[in-house]
Every structure is written in structure tokens, then in C-alpha cells.
Amino acid sequence: MKNFYLSVLLLTVAFTGLQAQKSDPEAKKVLDAVSAKFKTYKAVQVGFLYSIEDAKGKVQSKKTGTLLMKGTKYKVTFGDQEIYSDGKTTWNYDKSAKEVTVNNVSSDANAFTPQKLFTSFYDKDFLYVLNGEKKVGAKTLQEIQLTPTDKSKAFHKVYLTVDKNAKTIQSTKILENGGNKINYTLNNMVTTVNPADASFVFDVKKYPGVEVVDLR
């Protein structure tokens, strides 16, 4: 996967036409609560573990990353990738290639931002059902199954785990049509951070020798 939002966000790319009446209203209550809770935070820093399993359950890849968000701004660090966005411009830095690609942030309301992963990703072309809940240690976890209504998508199921009391997403499992499973486990969510706006801007001066590909 080229970067964080190209891999997660099979979940969120330009969906239309959800028929909410066919979804589980109890699942919607859970998802709405997660969205409402997230919107109360001024800034959030999240650590995550990403892995890919093949059809036999063998782990093919495993990486860790961090996601920092403030309003419409974000920074993602993931393997050899660093993605910065100040809400107007996006910088995608590939460490291994020593190259940064610069783009304008899309004005399309359907365009993905990491913030949508925690708020409105389920509002479009998904049918969803609450599978139930279970105790894991001191936590009560709720599992929601999401099915895309567009059958041409590269995945056929998404399983979302939510901490019932904290109203936060704990993990996401994406089942691809080819049999692979993409797993994200979120941890170390810190909601008291106050990052400077400069944290979301790629400063070329700090990366001597980097090639800049400006697509604006």
C-alpha cells in the first residue's frame, strides 16, 4: 500500500446512496456515539498497528504508525511514509525514495481525510449490523459488521470493534475479495495533545537532498 489512506480507506472513498433503513438501528447508535465523542476533541494522537494476513491466516506484513490530528490538519507516520496536511496542502514524503509529492487538498466533499475514519465513514454505501458484544479484560467490546452495497469494491466485509464505554474504535478488519485480511488495531489514543500548526507542514529545508514533485 502506498500510504495510510490508500490502504485504510477502501472504507471511505467516494461512496453514495446508503439505504439506512436496511441497516441495524442499534449499530447506527454505536457509530453515531463514536462520531460524536471524537468531535469533542480539539486534537488527537493515535498509535496503530497494521498487518496483512493471507487467506491461510499467515501474516505477510506488519507495521506500526502514528496519526496526529487537529481540526482539518493531520500527520501520518507509517513505515517509510510520512503524510502531512495543513488543510490546504498535502505532502506525501517517501523516505526510501527521498521524494515528496505535493498536492492541493481536494475540495470534493467525498474526498478522504483521516478524520472521516473516526466520524462519517459509515454514512455512505454501507449496510451495517451490530453482531453483539463481549468482555475483554475490563473492556466491553462491540462488533459491527459493515457490508458495502457496491459489489464492485475490492472488499466484501469490514468488521469494526468499538469500546462500548469509551466510545472509541479499537480495531478494524477488512476482508478483501482475494482472501487477504487487512487489520488495524488502534492504541495509545491521547486527547490532551496541543500540536503546533507547523507540525502539519512538511519543511523541505529539514530534508536536504529530497526531490520535490509539485502537482499543484
Side-chain angles (χ1 to χ4, degrees):
M1 305 287 175
K2 186 66 177 173
N3 55 48
F4 176 74
Y5 52 84
L6 285 181
S7 52
V8 156
L9 304 190
L10 292 169
L11 291 178
T12 53
V13 181
F15 290 133
T16 56
L18 175 67
Q19 300 178 38
Q21 68 272 19
K22 293 184 179 180
S23 290
D24 180 357
E26 292 303 311
K28 181 170 174 55
K29 288 180 183 178
V30 174
L31 294 170
D32 285 349
V34 169
S35 177
K37 180 71 174 290
F38 183 81
K39 289 176 180 178
T40 66
Y41 304 136
K42 292 183 178 180
V44 176
Q45 180 173 295
V46 182
F48 63 90
L49 173 66
Y50 160 85
S51 67
I52 298 178
E53 299 176 26
D54 63 19
K56 296 180 179 179
K58 183 178 180 180
V59 176
Q60 300 296 310
S61 176
K62 183 180 291 187
K63 297 179 181 179
T64 59
T66 59
L67 170 61
L68 180 66
M69 294 172 283
K70 179 183 177 182
T72 60
K73 305 175 179 67
Y74 62 87
K75 177 185 176 182
V76 181
T77 302
F78 177 63
D80 287 333
Q81 300 293 128
E82 290 182 2
I83 305 165
Y84 300 75
S85 179
D86 64 358
K88 297 179 180 179
T89 304
T90 300
W91 297 264
N92 192 330
Y93 174 47
D94 186 331
K95 295 180 184 178
S96 60
K98 296 193 70 174
E99 178 182 281
V100 60
T101 303
V102 189
N103 274 295
N104 290 321
V105 171
S106 174
S107 59
D108 185 349
N110 288 322
F112 171 72
T113 65
Q115 287 84 347
K116 288 186 179 181
L117 176 62
F118 296 88
T119 54
S120 59
F121 75 88
Y122 59 92
D123 280 340
K124 304 187 176 179
D125 247 5
F126 278 106
L127 301 179
Y128 38 81
V129 61
L130 180 62
N131 281 345
E133 58 185 53
K134 62 181 179 180
K135 292 285 289 186
V136 177
K139 295 181 179 180
T140 300
L141 301 181
Q142 298 170 301
E143 183 182 80
I144 295 176
Q145 175 182 300
L146 301 102
T147 304
T149 57
D150 184 349
K151 302 306 180 184
S152 69
K153 297 301 174 184
F155 63 99
H156 61 276
K157 282 288 187 295
V158 177
Y159 292 93
L160 197 68
T161 302
V162 173
D163 184 324
K164 183 177 182 178
N165 295 321
K167 296 179 175 59
T168 56
I169 295 173
Q170 296 293 289
S171 65
T172 301
K173 178 182 292 186
I174 304 167
L175 305 187
E176 294 188 319
N177 296 338
N180 285 350
K181 298 176 183 178
I182 301 176
N183 302 293
Y184 287 88
T185 301
L186 307 183
N187 53 58
N188 302 323
M189 179 179 283
V190 181
T191 60
T192 56
V193 292
N194 186 25
D197 288 346
S199 303
F200 306 98
V201 176
F202 183 84
D203 187 349
V204 178
K205 296 178 182 177
K206 295 181 179 179
Y207 299 84
V210 68
E211 180 182 356
V212 178
V213 180
D214 196 333
L215 302 179
R216 292 174 293 178

